Amino acid sequence: EVQLVESGGGLVQAGGSLRLSCAASGFTFDDYTIGWFRQAPGKEREGVSCISSRDGSTYYADSVKGRFSISRDNAKNTAYLQMVSPKPEDTAVYYCAAAPGPCTWYDLDYDYWGQGTQVTVSS
């Protein structure tokens, strides 16, 4: 069974830090791009970051550039999103997803999705 399981969410103070994890199983992790998306209450889902499978290229939404960092550990079939200096507007459910091609912001390119983990940033 294909699974992507997010963890590491919770309550964090503005200016703190938090690391989200995405544990994958049931597919060849090394062959897939991993993206992080988020959805806040009353808002559309938006892409946050992506790391490619081919060359490890990384991409970030302008809203998080310089504050968040994406990485992957292929030996552990796990991807991460390090959140530094989060802001209240970063509060959302965060999802990881896997796509067979290069990094993309198009959510329909992603074959597999996790269930999400809640991140709440207090001021």
Side-chain angles (χ1 to χ4, degrees), residues 3-4 22-30 72-80:
Q3 289 191 84
L4 290 170
C22 173
S25 60
F27 65 99
T28 305
F29 182 78
D30 295 9
R72 64 192 296 162
D73 186 339
N74 289 338
K76 296 181 178 180
N77 286 351
T78 302
Y80 306 93

Side-chain angles (χ1 to χ4, degrees), residues 26-46:
F27 65 99
T28 305
F29 182 78
D30 295 9
D31 292 339
Y32 279 76
T33 282
I34 300 297
W36 285 95
F37 295 78
R38 67 187 182 187
Q39 187 167 26
K43 295 185 177 181
E44 297 294 322
R45 177 189 287 162
E46 63 176 345

Side-chain angles (χ1 to χ4, degrees), residues 1-66:
E1 180 184 2
V2 170
Q3 289 191 84
L4 290 170
V5 180
E6 301 94 339
S7 62
L11 179 64
V12 62
Q13 290 182 300
S17 66
L18 198 67
R19 188 177 75 163
L20 307 183
S21 298
C22 173
S25 60
F27 65 99
T28 305
F29 182 78
D30 295 9
D31 292 339
Y32 279 76
T33 282
I34 300 297
W36 285 95
F37 295 78
R38 67 187 182 187
Q39 187 167 26
K43 295 185 177 181
E44 297 294 322
R45 177 189 287 162
E46 63 176 345
V48 176
S49 186
C50 183
I51 183 165
S52 72
S53 60
R54 179 174 291 274
D55 61 6
S57 298
T58 59
Y59 302 86
Y60 299 92
D62 288 343
S63 60
V64 307
K65 195 172 299 181

Side-chain angles (χ1 to χ4, degrees), residues 11-17 85-88 120-123:
L11 179 64
V12 62
Q13 290 182 300
S17 66
S85 298
K87 303 174 181 179
T120 302
V121 183
S122 63
S123 61

